[in-house]
Amino acid sequence: VQLQASGGGLVQAGGSLRLSCVASERTRYMAWFRQAPGKERDFVAAIKVDRSTVYADSVKGRFTVLRDNAKNTMTLQMNSLRPEDTAVYYCAVGSSVIASNVASQSAYAYWGQGTQVTVSS
């Protein structure tokens, strides 16, 4: 599976950005992770093919993940951005993802190239 992420950029705190990810084929779960400088890669959000969603506590109420199954695309609408949201954001999919491991990066076999999001204070 090939993934192409886009939409990162520089925004001021309180602003919004939208990330997109296109997959070459449909998978049950699609997810976003992020990695800040010097830190481990963390789970952000995931969406199942039935459009049910899971979010990290740090982004609940601010980020919204959507998917278009017909186009194999996933978007991440990020509102009320904070400097601590600064990171490289990765989209990921995998055939081994289930509800119990949806937030674990080891469950995802395929990763996009990453897109930089920078939030200035």
Side-chain angles (χ1 to χ4, degrees):
V1 180
Q2 295 181 329
L3 300 169
Q4 180 70 40
S6 62
L10 173 64
V11 65
Q12 289 186 332
S16 299
L17 280 175
R18 173 173 287 193
L19 306 182
S20 296
C21 177
V22 181
S24 58
E25 59 187 75
R26 185 181 301 180
T27 56
R28 183 167 53 195
Y29 277 98
M30 301 181 76
W32 290 99
F33 287 78
R34 66 186 181 186
Q35 188 167 20
K39 296 187 177 181
E40 295 185 352
R41 191 173 296 185
D42 290 331
F43 172 76
V44 175
I47 186 166
K48 195 176 177 181
V49 67
D50 65 0
R51 297 185 177 84
S52 58
T53 57
V54 180
Y55 293 95
D57 288 343
S58 59
V59 306
K60 281 182 181 177
R62 301 188 299 122
F63 290 11
T64 302
V65 61
L66 304 166
R67 70 184 287 172
D68 183 333
N69 290 329
K71 298 180 180 179
N72 294 333
T73 60
M74 172 178 63
T75 59
L76 184 68
Q77 178 65 44
M78 305 184 293
N79 298 328
S80 302
L81 282 162
R82 304 167 180 169
E84 53 264 40
D85 295 317
T86 295
V88 177
Y89 284 69
Y90 298 89
C91 57
V93 301
S95 59
S96 301
V97 183
I98 56 177
S100 62
N101 67 10
V102 67
S104 173
Q105 59 175 313
S106 63
Y108 296 85
Y110 304 98
W111 294 81
Q113 83 283 11
T115 184
Q116 177 71 47
V117 171
T118 303
V119 184
S120 63
S121 57

